Amino acid sequence: MWDIEKIIVCLFVILLLFYMIRLSHFTRQKWELKTYTFRILLMGLSLITIATFFDMVSPIINIKSIHALIKACFTLGAIIYIIGIILWSNYTKKVIEKFEELALKDSMTNLFNRKGMEKAYKEIYERNSPFYVIICDLDEMKKINDRYGHLQGDEYITSTAKIITDAIGTRGYIGRIGGDEFIIILEYEDIQQIEEIVFTIKKLVYEIFPQKNTGISLGYSLFPDDGKNLEDLIKVADERMYKDKQIRKKRA
C-alpha cells in the first residue's frame, strides 16, 4: 500500500532537485565557487532523492537490502548536502561583501563614491587623530567634453584618478564625488609634505593634456581645526579650492 506522506516527501525532494539543477545551470557561468558548491549540493540532494524514492516504493518491492540502501543514501546524502550548505553560506557571505564593495565604489575610476567616502570618514574619525580633507576639481572639463568628445573627457578623469592614487598611496582614502570632482581623506602630514603632494598632483594632471590648458584646483581643510564633521571640512576645503581655481584663471 502506498504511503501518502512518503509520496509527498519524495515529490518535494524531486522538485527541489530539479530547482537546484535549473539554478545551477543558470548561474554556472557567473562564479566558479557557485558551480563547485552546486555540485556538492546536487550530489547530496540526489542521494536523498534516491532514498526517498526507494522509501516510497519499498512496500511494493521485495528486496532484502532495500532498507539498508535507504539508510545509507539518506545518511550519506544528508552529510554531503550539509557540507554543501556550509559552502553555500560561505559563498553567500562573499557575494554580499562583494556587492557591498561595489556599492561603495565609482564604476569608472574604481575609487570610492560619496557613500564610500562617508564610511571611510567614520573609520578615520574614530581614531581621533588629525587628518586632512582635500577637495580636487578638474579645470576645463566641459571644454574637453564639448571640443574633443567624451572619450577624451573620460580619459581626463581616469588619468587624474590614477595620478591622485599614486600620489596618496596607502596614506589615505580617495573618492570621486562628482563628474570631475575628487575628495581625499589624508592621514596627517606636516604642511610641507601636503604642499609637495598638491604640487605633484597639479603638475601631473596638467601634463595629461598640456596643450589644452587643463589642470586641477585643490583646497584642503584640517580635522579638527576646520571642523569636526565631514560636511564642514568639505565646505572649508571647497572654499579654498575655489580660491585656488580663481588664482589659476587670473594667471591663465
Side-chain angles (χ1 to χ4, degrees):
M1 181 179 292
W2 294 96
D3 189 323
I4 298 299
E5 291 182 359
K6 291 182 178 181
I7 294 174
I8 293 173
V9 170
C10 183
L11 290 175
F12 175 79
V13 174
I14 291 172
L15 287 173
L16 181 59
L17 178 62
F18 275 107
Y19 171 77
M20 293 294 291
I21 291 171
R22 289 191 62 186
L23 191 60
S24 174
H25 178 74
F26 177 76
T27 58
R28 65 185 177 183
Q29 301 300 326
K30 302 295 182 182
W31 305 92
E32 291 182 4
L33 179 58
K34 184 175 287 187
T35 303
Y36 176 73
T37 303
F38 265 120
R39 287 176 181 172
I40 295 174
L41 287 169
L42 289 174
M43 186 185 303
L45 198 54
S46 296
L47 287 170
I48 294 172
T49 303
I50 293 171
T52 56
F53 174 77
F54 280 113
D55 191 40
M56 179 184 67
V57 300
S58 60
I60 63 172
I61 59 176
N62 187 19
I63 301 176
K64 292 182 179 180
S65 60
I66 188 69
H67 293 293
L69 177 63
I70 292 170
K71 185 177 180 180
C73 287
F74 262 129
T75 303
L76 185 59
I79 292 171
I80 294 174
Y81 192 72
I82 289 171
I83 292 171
I85 291 294
I86 293 171
L87 292 174
W88 175 259
S89 300
N90 184 53
Y91 165 77
T92 303
K93 178 176 176 291
K94 291 183 178 180
V95 168
I96 292 172
E97 289 173 350
K98 183 67 176 178
F99 278 125
E100 287 178 346
E101 180 184 344
L102 291 173
L104 301 176
K105 290 295 184 73
D106 170 60
S107 58
M108 178 184 288
T109 61
N110 203 37
L111 300 176
F112 286 115
N113 56 25
R114 182 176 287 274
K115 186 177 180 181
M117 290 305 293
E118 289 173 354
K119 183 178 179 181
Y121 175 81
K122 289 179 182 178
E123 291 179 3
I124 198 168
Y125 175 83
E126 290 175 357
R127 301 174 196 169
N128 200 31
S129 299
F131 60 87
Y132 289 93
V133 171
I134 305 174
I135 296 294
C136 316
D137 187 77
L138 286 172
D139 301 323
E140 306 295 350
M141 186 72 217
K142 187 175 185 302
K143 184 180 78 173
I144 294 293
N145 282 329
D146 292 345
R147 293 187 183 180
Y148 307 104
H150 286 278
L151 288 178
Q152 289 276 287
D154 290 349
E155 181 183 346
Y156 193 19
I157 291 170
T158 55
S159 297
T160 299
K162 186 177 186 309
I163 287 168
I164 296 174
T165 300
D166 291 343
I168 300 301
T170 60
R171 294 175 292 180
Y173 306 89
I174 309 163
R176 179 181 175 225
I177 56 174
D180 58 355
E181 190 172 12
F182 299 86
I183 180 172
I184 304 165
I185 297 178
L186 180 64
E187 295 177 0
Y188 185 78
E189 306 274 358
D190 64 49
I191 194 64
Q192 183 177 352
Q193 289 174 308
I194 292 295
E195 293 295 343
E196 288 176 0
I197 291 171
V198 168
F199 176 80
T200 299
I201 292 173
K202 283 188 172 185
K203 178 178 180 294
L204 294 177
V205 171
Y206 173 76
E207 291 175 356
I208 298 173
F209 299 122
Q211 72 279 15
K212 297 171 185 175
N213 197 34
T214 56
I216 189 168
S217 301
L218 296 92
Y220 54 84
S221 56
L222 176 64
F223 171 89
D225 296 9
D226 296 316
K228 293 188 177 181
N229 60 64
L230 184 58
E231 290 75 17
D232 290 341
L233 291 167
I234 288 177
K235 183 179 179 181
V236 172
D238 200 58
E239 289 172 354
R240 291 171 179 169
M241 181 275 296
Y242 182 75
K243 289 180 182 178
D244 184 50
K245 189 179 288 287
Q246 293 300 109
I247 292 170
R248 186 180 178 281
K249 284 182 179 179
K250 289 179 181 178
R251 290 176 179 172

